[in-house]
Amino acid sequence: MTSKKATNVDDQINLLRSRGMSIDDESKSKEILLDIGYYRLGFYCFPFEKSYPQKENRTHEYKDQTTFMDVVDLYYFDFELRNILLKYLSRIEINFRTHVTYLVSNHYPHSETWFVDDNIVNNSFISVFDEKIYNSNFKKNTFIKLHHKNHPSDKYAPAWKTIELMTFGSVIKLYSAIKDIKIQLEISRSYNVNKLQIFINYLSTLCTLRNICAHGSVIYDLKLNQSIKSGPALTISQDNERNNLYGAIKIIEFILNTISINRKNDFVAELEAIKGKYMKKKILNDIIENCSGLKYK
C-alpha cells in the first residue's frame, strides 16, 4: 500500500487542469487553495465530476465547462447556508429548552431537581446523568460552581440552572425520558405536533443538523441516517425528502412558525436570498437541487 504525498498549490492546480477544470485566475486560485485547502475543496469538486455520484473507481474527470470558481461558489453557498441554518436552529434549541424547563418545573414545583427524580424521569436517563452530563462538564461551569459554593448541601443545581447548560441532544433525551406522556404532549402540542413519535423525530433531525452545522461539516448534500417522518411539517412526496436537506429545512420552517411568524419569515427570506445569489447559474442550480432538494424559483 502506497501513501499519498503532500502536494503544493502549483501541483494541485496542474492536477485540476489535467482533469478538465478551467482555471482562469491562477493567482486568485492559489490564494483560495491556501485559504480553504485542496482536500476540503474536494467535497465541492465531487458533484462536478463526470462519474458523480459514483464513489468507487472514480475517474476524477470534470464535466465540460466546469470552472474553479463554480466549485468555490458551491463552497461559499454551503458556508453561508450553514451559518443561516445554525442561527435559526439555535433559536429553536433555546426555545425548546425553555419550554421543557418551564412547563415541567411548574408541573412539579416541589421538585427543583426533577430531572433526576425517578418519579418523574425514567431511570435510563438518570443512571447516566452524573457521569455523562453533570460531573463531566457542569461542575466546572462558573455558575454551577457558585451555586454549590452557596448551597454546599445540594447535590445538583435546580432545573432552571442545570438544563440551561445541557446540549440540545441531552435536553431531547431528557424530554423523551419524562414519564408523564400528558406533559410530553403538552410540550409537543405547543409546537403544533400532536403525535409524540413525530415530534421526537423532528427534534432528532434538527439536533443532527445543528451538530453538523456547528462542526463546519459539508451540508449541501446532507443524507440523514434517520428518515424524517411524514407529519404536519411536510407530507413526504418523494423518498429522498425523508433524508435530505429540503426535508430538514421544512421542519425548521414549521417549528419557527410556531415560535414566531416573523422569525420564520426572516428565515425564508434569508434562504431565498442565498438561493438567488448562487442558484441563478444553471450548473450550480442543477447540483444544489439534485443534492439537497432545494429549488430556486
Side-chain angles (χ1 to χ4, degrees):
M1 182 178 178
T2 58
S3 59
K4 294 184 177 181
K5 296 180 180 180
T7 58
N8 58 45
V9 290
D10 291 312
D11 292 336
Q12 291 164 3
I13 286 174
N14 289 334
L15 183 58
L16 292 172
R17 280 176 169 157
S18 72
R19 292 172 174 174
M21 184 180 291
S22 174
I23 300 176
D24 293 331
D25 190 335
E26 192 168 307
S27 177
K28 180 65 175 177
S29 299
K30 289 180 180 179
E31 179 185 320
I32 292 169
L33 284 168
L34 288 171
D35 177 35
I36 299 172
Y38 180 80
Y39 178 76
R40 183 170 183 80
L41 204 62
F43 295 114
Y44 304 93
C45 291
F46 183 37
F48 291 91
E49 292 182 11
K50 291 179 180 179
S51 57
Y52 177 84
Q54 178 182 324
K55 292 185 177 180
E56 299 294 330
N57 301 316
R58 289 160 56 187
T59 65
H60 295 289
E61 294 180 357
Y62 295 110
K63 299 170 186 175
D64 294 343
Q65 299 181 331
T66 295
T67 72
F68 182 79
M69 291 312 299
D70 286 338
V71 174
V72 173
D73 281 343
L74 181 59
Y75 166 83
Y76 278 112
F77 167 80
D78 199 62
F79 175 84
E80 293 179 31
L81 176 62
R82 192 164 54 243
N83 288 338
I84 292 170
L85 294 177
L86 189 57
K87 177 170 70 171
Y88 289 98
L89 285 165
S90 295
R91 177 67 187 269
I92 292 171
E93 176 184 349
I94 291 169
N95 186 272
F96 175 66
R97 181 187 292 115
T98 301
H99 266 58
V100 171
T101 305
Y102 179 81
L103 288 173
V104 184
S105 295
N106 278 280
H107 269 285
Y108 302 102
H110 301 298
S111 183
E112 291 185 353
T113 58
W114 58 261
F115 50 87
V116 288
D117 187 334
D118 60 9
N119 293 309
I120 301 170
V121 175
N122 288 319
N123 191 58
S124 58
F125 180 86
I126 298 171
S127 63
V128 298
F129 180 76
D130 281 5
E131 179 184 353
K132 292 190 175 181
I133 299 176
Y134 204 78
N135 291 339
S136 60
N137 294 311
F138 285 21
K139 285 193 171 180
K140 300 174 185 178
N141 178 272
T142 301
F143 298 104
I144 298 298
K145 285 170 68 176
L146 182 61
H147 174 85
H148 286 294
K149 180 180 179 181
N150 294 332
H151 307 276
S153 62
D154 286 0
K155 184 175 181 181
Y156 306 104
W160 47 92
K161 292 182 180 179
T162 300
I163 298 173
E164 181 64 28
L165 298 176
M166 286 187 192
T167 65
F168 193 14
S170 293
V171 180
I172 294 170
K173 288 177 181 177
L174 172 60
Y175 168 77
S176 301
I178 295 170
K179 289 185 173 181
D180 192 334
I181 294 176
K182 290 181 180 179
I183 294 175
Q184 290 178 312
L185 286 172
E186 183 179 351
I187 293 170
S188 72
R189 285 169 179 162
S190 69
Y191 295 97
N192 293 335
V193 184
N194 294 320
K195 293 186 177 181
L196 196 57
Q197 285 187 335
I198 291 176
F199 185 57
I200 292 174
N201 176 261
Y202 284 1
L203 291 173
S204 296
T205 299
L206 297 183
C207 184
T208 297
L209 185 60
R210 183 260 176 217
N211 290 342
I212 291 171
C213 290
H215 288 93
S217 300
V218 177
I219 199 75
Y220 76 93
D221 63 349
L222 173 72
K223 297 294 183 293
L224 294 166
N225 291 326
Q226 176 184 275
S227 296
I228 298 169
K229 293 182 180 294
S230 289
L234 74 162
T235 301
I236 305 296
S237 59
Q238 300 176 34
D239 284 343
N240 62 354
E241 291 176 356
R242 294 182 181 276
N243 302 90
N244 70 5
L245 187 59
Y246 170 81
I249 283 175
K250 296 307 290 184
I251 297 175
I252 296 175
E253 287 184 23
F254 177 81
I255 298 296
L256 281 174
N257 194 58
T258 67
I259 297 172
S260 167
I261 185 66
N262 291 329
R263 296 296 77 74
K264 180 255 188 177
N265 290 339
D266 290 344
F267 174 67
V268 171
E270 289 187 43
L271 192 59
E272 289 303 315
I274 193 177
K275 288 193 289 185
K277 181 178 179 181
Y278 292 100
M279 293 179 72
K280 286 181 179 179
K281 192 168 185 179
K282 187 178 186 306
I283 190 169
L284 288 177
N285 179 85
D286 291 349
I287 288 172
I288 293 169
E289 183 174 327
N290 179 57
C291 291
S292 69
L294 296 175
K295 298 182 186 298
Y296 174 59
K297 57 186 178 181

